[in-house]
Amino acid sequence: MAHVVATGAGKAMMERRTDPTHEYILRLTGKERPRVLFVGTATGDEAPYILSFYTTYDSDRCAPHHLPLFHRAVDDLAGFVRGFDVIHVGGGNTANMLDVWKRQGLDEIMRDLWEDPGSNVVFTGGSAGGICWFEGGTTDSYGPTLQVLPEGLGFLHGSFCPHYDAEDQRRPLFHDALLKGELATGYAVGNLQSLHFTRSGDAIELVTAISPVEDPLALRVEAVDGRIVETQLPAKVLAGAGPIAAGPSS
């Protein structure tokens, strides 16, 4: 059974070192020391973000690795990626990230893993790392004014809007895109919330929303008869968050 855990924030969640969301992701693998691959394409393989990943997903809790695509050092990309239990995609520029993946063939490698009936991979990430699994979403890939991103990998049907509680432009843009039909019915989450989906055979299911804090913001958002309907999703509040480090909304 393959999984997707799509989170509202990328860097900000990564910098929450003891956030129980990280442990939730690792436990989905069913392994004592899962192999975790960080893909930081959306920030151009930015070194501080990669370091942040290694600090949070340290070697005491998993076997961490990262995949640079701007200075690629792997010949057999498919063989390399298939060796991991978790593929963690960082936040940043979603549009540029998807273009690089297509050039490198990483999009099809991950699609094959997602569609493989024997796959048990957990695909995860926040912001760009959450949007990419859906058919589309809202993005700041093209500058400070948010725009609609009409194409994602499409592992999951519908659209995704991260940062719903952190960026004022997100909600009105998402609503407008749904009303105009530019985006399909989808989901919106706050920075700290995540949506957990599973795939078993051809069946894809939303298992639950998860959150490290009370009163989570996780919504199903759709246009119905010319108006927007937001429906709160059932959410599991995770226990065990310790002291955190503040981070940006991306």
Side-chain angles (χ1 to χ4, degrees):
M1 179 182 292
H3 304 261
V4 167
V5 180
T7 303
K11 287 183 180 180
M13 177 58 78
M14 187 67 79
E15 292 177 0
R16 292 173 63 94
R17 308 299 182 205
T18 60
D19 194 296
T21 303
H22 303 303
E23 193 61 32
Y24 183 94
I25 291 165
L26 293 175
R27 286 179 180 174
L28 290 177
T29 68
K31 297 187 176 181
E32 185 175 339
R33 194 165 183 266
R35 289 171 53 82
V36 181
L37 180 65
F38 180 69
V39 184
T41 317
T43 52
D45 298 327
E46 178 185 74
Y49 201 169
I50 295 171
L51 178 60
S52 182
F53 161 73
Y54 279 106
T55 303
T56 299
Y57 285 82
D58 61 79
S59 58
D60 288 337
R61 70 196 310 186
C62 63
H65 300 263
H66 74 282
L67 174 63
L69 291 180
F70 286 86
H71 299 282
R72 180 172 153 182
V74 176
D75 287 324
D76 182 8
L77 191 59
F80 178 75
V81 172
R82 282 185 170 275
F84 291 91
D85 306 299
V86 177
I87 297 176
H88 196 304
V89 176
N93 191 307
T94 314
N96 288 357
M97 175 184 76
L98 291 171
D99 284 351
V100 172
W101 285 0
K102 186 174 182 179
R103 287 284 185 179
Q104 299 283 341
L106 182 60
D107 57 339
E108 291 304 319
I109 291 169
M110 293 197 295
R111 187 179 307 280
D112 288 345
L113 277 173
W114 173 244
E115 295 178 351
D116 183 349
S119 173
N120 295 305
V121 175
V122 180
F123 299 91
T124 189
S127 194
I131 296 168
C132 64
W133 315 117
F134 293 82
E135 294 172 329
T138 61
T139 183
D140 58 2
S141 295
Y142 306 106
T145 301
L146 294 178
Q147 297 187 39
V148 171
L149 182 79
E151 70 282 343
L153 294 177
F155 291 7
L156 303 172
H157 295 302
S159 54
F160 184 70
C161 186
H163 308 304
Y164 218 54
D165 58 354
E167 297 179 2
D168 293 341
Q169 295 180 51
R170 292 280 176 175
R171 190 185 295 256
L173 175 63
F174 195 41
H175 287 188
D176 186 60
L178 291 170
L179 290 168
K180 291 178 178 177
E182 295 173 341
L183 291 176
T185 294
Y187 305 90
V189 296
N191 266 6
L192 301 183
Q193 282 71 56
S194 307
L195 302 178
H196 174 198
F197 295 83
T198 58
R199 176 176 182 138
S200 181
D202 291 328
I204 298 173
E205 178 184 1
L206 172 61
V207 178
T208 187
I210 61 171
S211 174
V213 296
E214 298 287 345
D215 300 321
L217 180 60
L219 305 169
R220 173 81 168 174
V221 188
E222 56 189 326
V224 180
D225 297 328
R227 64 187 182 92
I228 293 295
V229 176
E230 295 185 340
T231 305
Q232 180 69 40
L233 296 170
K236 178 179 181 179
V237 177
L238 306 175
I244 61 173
S249 62
S250 62

